[in-house]
Amino acid sequence: VVDAELALPAPALPAPPGEAPEEEEPVVEGSSLLEGLGVFWNLNETSGTRFDAIGVTHLTTLAGTDQFGAGIIENALQSVSGTTFKVSGMTPTFLDGMVNASFTVSYWVYFTATGGAGVSHGGVFTKGIGTLTIDNWDGEVQSRINFQRIEFTLRSNSGENEGAQVSFRHSQTLATATWHFVVCWYDTSNGSLNIQVNNGTPESEVPFDPIGPHPSPTGPWTIGGNLAASPLDLYGRVDAMGIWFRLLTTEERSTLWNGGAGLEWPFEL
């Protein structure tokens, strides 16, 4: 039998006179979001280059008028109806190979059009092949607004599954003129495409005919449209976009949602 008093841990010794007690380093709730993070654009700039907060994957204006608007946090990148505004960055090799492993993309989107391409096919982001065109949209990673619903697409342009595509659309119809938080991820463990909107229940689709091994799109990453001959321009705003080369947990996605207030790098609540 062990004496209960003897089993108690020894009390912490007070700091010597004249010395401050040691303080434990605070734990930042969003710190795990730094793991596997490849790119994060806060998109707070009002003009010119939109800087990658953690590296050098910066964005520059490709076409249209360089504009900004009110974001979910500070400012946002803006594409206005009637323009072909897009931004495009250089092509880092780690983005070229992203479709060969699990990855996650999160962003906030606010679309304003009441009809036409801005509502039916507004491109939020695209990672395609080539430099100025996308050949039949093959070989791309894309998310867009398709009749006010979020769509997530992977396409193959090589190998035995050349021309195959997986395009999955979330069931929720989104209202215009309000911010929506979207997380898209590709899970190589089961080949599924997944979409979560406004921290709700994720929806998934596993293709009947997996498109298996993916090519490596080498075209620029664009926000607000794509690089095809008939660009699918977004009429609205995009804010706080990040790319992780892993799957985020439920808790991490909820942290980014932050009760609907959003969270950007460095993810401090």
Side-chain angles (χ1 to χ4, degrees), residues 54-86:
I54 68 164
V56 295
T57 312
H58 309 314
L59 300 168
T60 56
T61 304
L62 176 69
T65 304
D66 185 349
Q67 301 184 62
F68 77 99
I72 189 69
I73 303 173
E74 296 187 32
N75 301 315
L77 184 135
Q78 181 165 290
S79 178
V80 178
S81 175
T83 72
T84 57
F85 175 74
K86 296 179 288 289

Coordinates of all heavy atoms in Angstrom, one line a residue, residues 54-86:
I54 N 4.3 32.2 -47.6 CA 5.3 31.3 -47.1 C 6.5 31.0 -48.0 O 7.4 30.3 -47.7 CB 4.7 29.9 -46.6 CG1 4.2 29.1 -47.8 CG2 3.6 30.2 -45.6 CD1 3.9 27.7 -47.5
G55 N 6.4 31.4 -49.3 CA 7.4 31.1 -50.3 C 7.5 32.1 -51.4 O 7.4 33.3 -51.1
V56 N 7.7 31.7 -52.6 CA 7.9 32.6 -53.7 C 7.0 32.3 -54.8 O 7.2 32.7 -56.0 CB 9.4 32.5 -54.2 CG1 10.4 33.0 -53.2 CG2 9.7 31.0 -54.7
T57 N 5.9 31.6 -54.6 CA 4.9 31.3 -55.6 C 3.9 32.5 -55.7 O 2.8 32.4 -55.3 CB 4.1 30.0 -55.3 OG1 5.1 29.0 -55.0 CG2 3.3 29.6 -56.5
H58 N 4.4 33.6 -56.2 CA 3.7 34.9 -56.2 C 2.8 34.9 -57.5 O 3.0 34.2 -58.5 CB 4.6 36.1 -56.2 CG 5.6 36.0 -55.1 ND1 5.3 35.7 -53.8 CD2 6.9 36.3 -55.1 CE1 6.4 35.8 -53.0 NE2 7.4 36.1 -53.8
L59 N 1.7 35.7 -57.4 CA 0.8 35.8 -58.5 C 0.9 37.2 -59.1 O 1.1 38.2 -58.4 CB -0.7 35.6 -57.9 CG -1.0 34.3 -57.3 CD1 -2.3 34.3 -56.6 CD2 -1.0 33.2 -58.3
T60 N 0.7 37.2 -60.4 CA 0.7 38.5 -61.1 C -0.5 38.6 -62.1 O -1.0 37.6 -62.4 CB 2.0 38.7 -62.0 OG1 2.1 37.5 -62.9 CG2 3.2 38.7 -61.1
T61 N -0.9 39.8 -62.4 CA -2.0 40.0 -63.3 C -1.8 39.4 -64.7 O -0.8 39.7 -65.3 CB -2.4 41.5 -63.4 OG1 -2.6 42.0 -62.1 CG2 -3.7 41.6 -64.2
L62 N -2.7 38.6 -65.1 CA -2.5 38.0 -66.5 C -3.3 38.7 -67.5 O -2.9 39.0 -68.6 CB -3.0 36.5 -66.4 CG -3.0 35.8 -67.8 CD1 -1.6 35.6 -68.2 CD2 -3.7 34.5 -67.7
A63 N -4.6 39.1 -67.2 CA -5.4 39.8 -68.1 C -6.5 40.6 -67.4 O -6.8 40.3 -66.2 CB -6.1 38.8 -69.1
G64 N -7.1 41.6 -68.0 CA -8.1 42.4 -67.4 C -7.5 43.4 -66.5 O -6.3 43.7 -66.5
T65 N -8.4 44.0 -65.7 CA -8.0 45.1 -64.8 C -7.7 44.6 -63.4 O -8.4 43.8 -62.8 CB -9.2 46.1 -64.7 OG1 -9.6 46.5 -66.0 CG2 -8.8 47.3 -63.8
D66 N -6.5 45.0 -62.9 CA -6.1 44.6 -61.6 C -7.0 45.3 -60.5 O -7.0 46.5 -60.4 CB -4.6 45.0 -61.4 CG -4.0 44.6 -60.1 OD1 -4.8 44.1 -59.2 OD2 -2.8 44.7 -59.9
Q67 N -7.8 44.5 -59.8 CA -8.7 45.0 -58.9 C -8.7 44.3 -57.5 O -8.2 43.2 -57.5 CB -10.1 45.0 -59.5 CG -10.2 45.8 -60.8 CD -11.7 45.9 -61.3 OE1 -12.6 46.4 -60.6 NE2 -11.9 45.3 -62.4
F68 N -9.3 44.9 -56.5 CA -9.5 44.3 -55.2 C -10.8 44.7 -54.7 O -11.4 45.6 -55.1 CB -8.3 44.6 -54.3 CG -8.4 46.0 -53.7 CD1 -8.9 46.2 -52.4 CD2 -8.1 47.1 -54.4 CE1 -9.1 47.5 -51.9 CE2 -8.2 48.4 -53.9 CZ -8.7 48.6 -52.6
G69 N -11.2 44.0 -53.7 CA -12.5 44.3 -53.0 C -12.4 43.9 -51.5 O -11.4 43.3 -51.1
A70 N -13.4 44.1 -50.8 CA -13.4 43.7 -49.4 C -13.4 42.2 -49.3 O -14.2 41.5 -49.9 CB -14.7 44.3 -48.7
G71 N -12.5 41.7 -48.4 CA -12.4 40.2 -48.3 C -13.1 39.7 -47.0 O -13.6 40.5 -46.2
I72 N -13.0 38.4 -46.8 CA -13.5 37.8 -45.6 C -12.6 38.3 -44.5 O -13.0 38.5 -43.3 CB -13.6 36.3 -45.7 CG1 -14.3 35.7 -44.4 CG2 -12.2 35.7 -45.9 CD1 -15.7 36.0 -44.4
I73 N -11.3 38.5 -44.8 CA -10.3 39.1 -43.9 C -9.6 40.2 -44.7 O -9.0 39.9 -45.7 CB -9.2 38.1 -43.4 CG1 -9.9 36.9 -42.7 CG2 -8.2 38.7 -42.5 CD1 -9.0 35.7 -42.4
E74 N -9.7 41.4 -44.3 CA -9.1 42.5 -45.0 C -9.5 42.6 -46.5 O -10.7 42.7 -46.7 CB -7.5 42.5 -44.9 CG -7.0 42.6 -43.4 CD -5.5 42.8 -43.3 OE1 -4.9 43.3 -44.2 OE2 -5.0 42.3 -42.3
N75 N -8.6 42.5 -47.4 CA -8.9 42.6 -48.8 C -9.0 41.2 -49.5 O -8.6 40.2 -49.0 CB -7.9 43.5 -49.5 CG -7.8 44.9 -48.9 OD1 -8.8 45.5 -48.6 ND2 -6.6 45.3 -48.7
A76 N -9.5 41.3 -50.7 CA -9.6 40.0 -51.6 C -9.3 40.4 -53.0 O -9.4 41.5 -53.4 CB -11.0 39.4 -51.5
L77 N -8.9 39.4 -53.8 CA -8.7 39.6 -55.2 C -10.1 39.6 -55.9 O -10.9 38.8 -55.5 CB -7.9 38.4 -55.7 CG -7.5 38.4 -57.2 CD1 -6.0 38.0 -57.3 CD2 -8.4 37.4 -57.9
Q78 N -10.3 40.5 -56.8 CA -11.6 40.8 -57.4 C -11.6 40.6 -58.9 O -10.7 41.1 -59.6 CB -12.1 42.1 -57.0 CG -13.5 42.5 -57.5 CD -14.1 43.6 -56.8 OE1 -14.5 43.6 -55.6 NE2 -14.2 44.8 -57.5
S79 N -12.6 40.0 -59.4 CA -12.8 39.8 -60.8 C -14.2 40.4 -61.1 O -15.2 39.9 -60.5 CB -12.7 38.4 -61.3 OG -13.0 38.2 -62.6
V80 N -14.4 41.4 -62.0 CA -15.6 42.1 -62.1 C -16.3 41.6 -63.4 O -15.6 41.4 -64.5 CB -15.4 43.6 -62.1 CG1 -16.7 44.3 -62.4 CG2 -14.8 44.0 -60.8
S81 N -17.6 41.5 -63.4 CA -18.4 41.2 -64.6 C -18.0 42.1 -65.8 O -17.9 43.3 -65.6 CB -19.9 41.3 -64.3 OG -20.7 41.1 -65.5
G82 N -17.8 41.5 -66.9 CA -17.4 42.2 -68.1 C -16.0 42.3 -68.4 O -15.5 42.8 -69.4
T83 N -15.1 41.8 -67.5 CA -13.7 41.8 -67.7 C -13.2 40.3 -67.8 O -14.0 39.4 -67.5 CB -12.9 42.4 -66.5 OG1 -13.0 41.6 -65.4 CG2 -13.5 43.8 -66.2
T84 N -12.0 40.1 -68.1 CA -11.4 38.8 -68.2 C -10.2 38.8 -67.2 O -9.2 38.2 -67.4 CB -10.9 38.5 -69.6 OG1 -9.9 39.5 -70.0 CG2 -12.0 38.4 -70.5
F85 N -10.5 39.3 -66.0 CA -9.4 39.4 -65.0 C -9.1 38.0 -64.5 O -9.9 37.3 -64.1 CB -9.9 40.3 -63.8 CG -8.9 40.4 -62.7 CD1 -7.7 41.1 -62.8 CD2 -9.2 39.7 -61.5 CE1 -6.8 41.1 -61.8 CE2 -8.3 39.7 -60.5 CZ -7.1 40.5 -60.6
K86 N -7.8 37.7 -64.5 CA -7.2 36.5 -63.9 C -5.9 36.9 -63.3 O -5.2 37.8 -63.7 CB -7.1 35.4 -64.9 CG -8.4 34.9 -65.5 CD -8.2 33.8 -66.5 CE -7.6 34.4 -67.8 NZ -8.5 35.2 -68.6

